[in-house]
Amino acid sequence: DKIVPYAKGIARGWDKPSFSNKVDDPFSYGMLTEQEDNILIGIKQMKQDQDMAMNCRGGPMFFPHLREEEKKISEKKLQGLRLQYDSWTSSISYKACLRCRNVTMEDAQMSSLELCAGEEGMSQALGMVGFNTTTLDNDLKRSATSKLSLDELEGRITTGNIVHHPHMNKTFSVVWAAPECRTWSKAQNGRYRNKDFIDGFRNRALEAHAQQARRDIESLVNILSYYRERNPNLIIVIENPVGYLRLHPVSGLFK
């Protein structure tokens, strides 16, 4: 019921999540609802737009000339990514994932690995028909066999430490991967990216999420290459909704 100036709200830190228990501050809050989270994101973007536009409040979202400058910067970055992906098979990380040679196929029969498993629906189905299932998810609330993230698993592979992992140092016959799809989905209505800013909105509140989603795909490609090297007949399935991933240069790595 109280209107506070924008500048004062920023000064009080309302553009950052707060878990304050101060009873004397009517504007302090605990865990955010989805609506409050959306408002928080909007405030962050307003602040960043204002900072970028300096004296022109609103930034690229409201000033076309700033938007065009952002598009040029974004396209230049994409060109660099395309060059990087064109020579991906020559990269140190990719080559490190192919060090595995002459692995026996005995443990590959009827065994599956579900990456970013979540509720482990696919593993449950495969288990019902006789598969030995292994799951990976970095959400500690899940019941995955391994609690590693994709980049952590990639790191274990590239450094050779995968041989010491009790669950991931295996040869599988099926790998099912369901990488984070939130930032790629069109259902988000451009919250993380759109066709003009396919790698994420530069200097925006949710840019880090979009960037991490791309890095997850890069890690996934190397991980799948590693397990395919162990089993040339490996069946690979990648689950992701129809959205922006297919428009991003990183999707070319799946070829």
Side-chain angles (χ1 to χ4, degrees), residues 87-153:
S87 58
W88 190 259
T89 54
S90 299
S91 66
I92 296 175
S93 60
Y94 181 84
K95 287 182 176 180
C97 290
L98 301 185
R99 291 173 182 162
C100 170
R101 294 290 188 276
N102 302 321
V103 177
T104 61
M105 296 292 296
E106 295 178 359
D107 59 342
Q109 304 304 315
M110 297 289 284
S111 61
S112 68
L113 170 62
E114 186 174 4
L115 299 172
C116 309
E119 297 290 341
E120 304 180 6
M122 182 52 59
S123 293
Q124 293 175 17
L126 291 173
M128 292 175 65
V129 295
F131 274 75
N132 294 317
T133 61
T134 301
T135 57
L136 178 143
D137 198 292
N138 67 341
D139 188 342
L140 299 180
K141 297 178 182 179
R142 304 293 185 182
S143 58
T145 308
S146 176
K147 301 296 176 65
L148 297 175
S149 63
L150 290 177
D151 60 331
E152 288 172 336
L153 176 57

Side-chain angles (χ1 to χ4, degrees), residues 196-208:
D196 292 332
F197 297 93
I198 199 66
D199 199 47
F201 299 108
R202 183 172 173 270
N203 294 326
R204 296 298 192 279
L206 295 177
E207 180 186 18

Side-chain angles (χ1 to χ4, degrees), residues 175-231:
V175 174
W176 184 285
E180 172 64 59
C181 63
R182 179 182 49 182
T183 77
W184 300 108
S185 175
K186 289 186 177 180
Q188 293 293 329
N189 296 317
R191 190 181 185 192
Y192 297 91
R193 64 181 91 234
N194 61 23
K195 290 182 179 180
D196 292 332
F197 297 93
I198 199 66
D199 199 47
F201 299 108
R202 183 172 173 270
N203 294 326
R204 296 298 192 279
L206 295 177
E207 180 186 18
H209 296 274
Q211 299 293 299
Q212 184 59 54
R214 170 171 56 79
R215 288 192 293 271
D216 283 345
I217 298 299
E218 295 171 355
S219 295
L220 177 61
V221 168
N222 287 343
I223 292 168
L224 295 177
S225 298
Y226 166 75
Y227 286 112
R228 185 175 61 181
E229 186 72 9
R230 295 188 66 145
N231 177 11

